[in-house]
Amino acid sequence: MQATATVLVYSDNATTREQVRLAAGRQPAADVPPVEILECATLPAVLEALEQGGIDACVLDGETAPAGGMGVCRQIKDEIYGCPPVLLLIGRPQDAWLATWSRADAAVTHPVDPVAFADSLAALLRGRVLARG
């Protein structure tokens, strides 16, 4: 297992980024590596971080403005070769179809439920670690 997993968190809201950081904890599950959080508040910062590589999963806030997480997810899935899995934060359960449209790998609702979030993030990281071998 790799030493750490880098998780990119995109939101224009510092409180949302903090909720994600706290929900992820040091290690979202015993069978995945500890996580390091890379916070981004703007789309250019997200794109730059992904171009540099080393991101194991992305958490995108669907409520971010002006570039919402759903549109950003669709964009990076189209533009980033080997795009890491994406966990999308959606405003309500009825928005799950938008998460599907955006090609997100998983979605959880606001406010962040720490247990559901950690479970979803751990599942994405498991898949990423297995894919890397």
Side-chain angles (χ1 to χ4, degrees):
M1 186 181 322
Q2 67 190 57
T4 61
T6 302
V7 177
L8 182 147
V9 178
Y10 168 62
S11 178
D12 64 345
N13 186 319
T15 302
T16 299
R17 294 192 309 266
E18 180 182 21
Q19 287 175 353
V20 167
R21 192 174 53 253
L22 292 173
R26 293 182 187 164
Q27 190 172 0
D31 61 339
V32 298
V35 295
E36 291 182 12
I37 303 292
L38 173 62
E39 294 184 27
C40 296
T42 65
L43 176 56
V46 170
L47 297 176
E48 182 179 331
L50 289 170
E51 286 295 331
Q52 290 179 3
I55 305 296
D56 295 293
C58 297
V59 178
L60 307 178
D61 181 2
E63 305 299 313
T64 294
M70 293 179 201
V72 171
C73 181
R74 192 166 174 96
Q75 178 180 349
I76 65 176
K77 290 290 187 171
D78 285 343
E79 295 178 1
I80 304 296
Y81 177 76
C83 183
V86 175
L87 174 56
L88 191 61
L89 302 177
I90 57 177
R92 55 198 183 119
Q94 295 87 345
D95 293 336
W97 73 273
L98 288 168
T100 300
W101 168 85
S102 71
R103 300 189 200 131
D105 299 279
V108 296
T109 57
H110 277 290
V112 176
D113 172 352
V115 174
F117 179 86
D119 287 346
S120 293
L121 180 59
L124 294 182
L125 291 174
R126 279 185 204 105
R128 188 71 169 184
V129 169
L130 290 175
R132 285 188 173 179

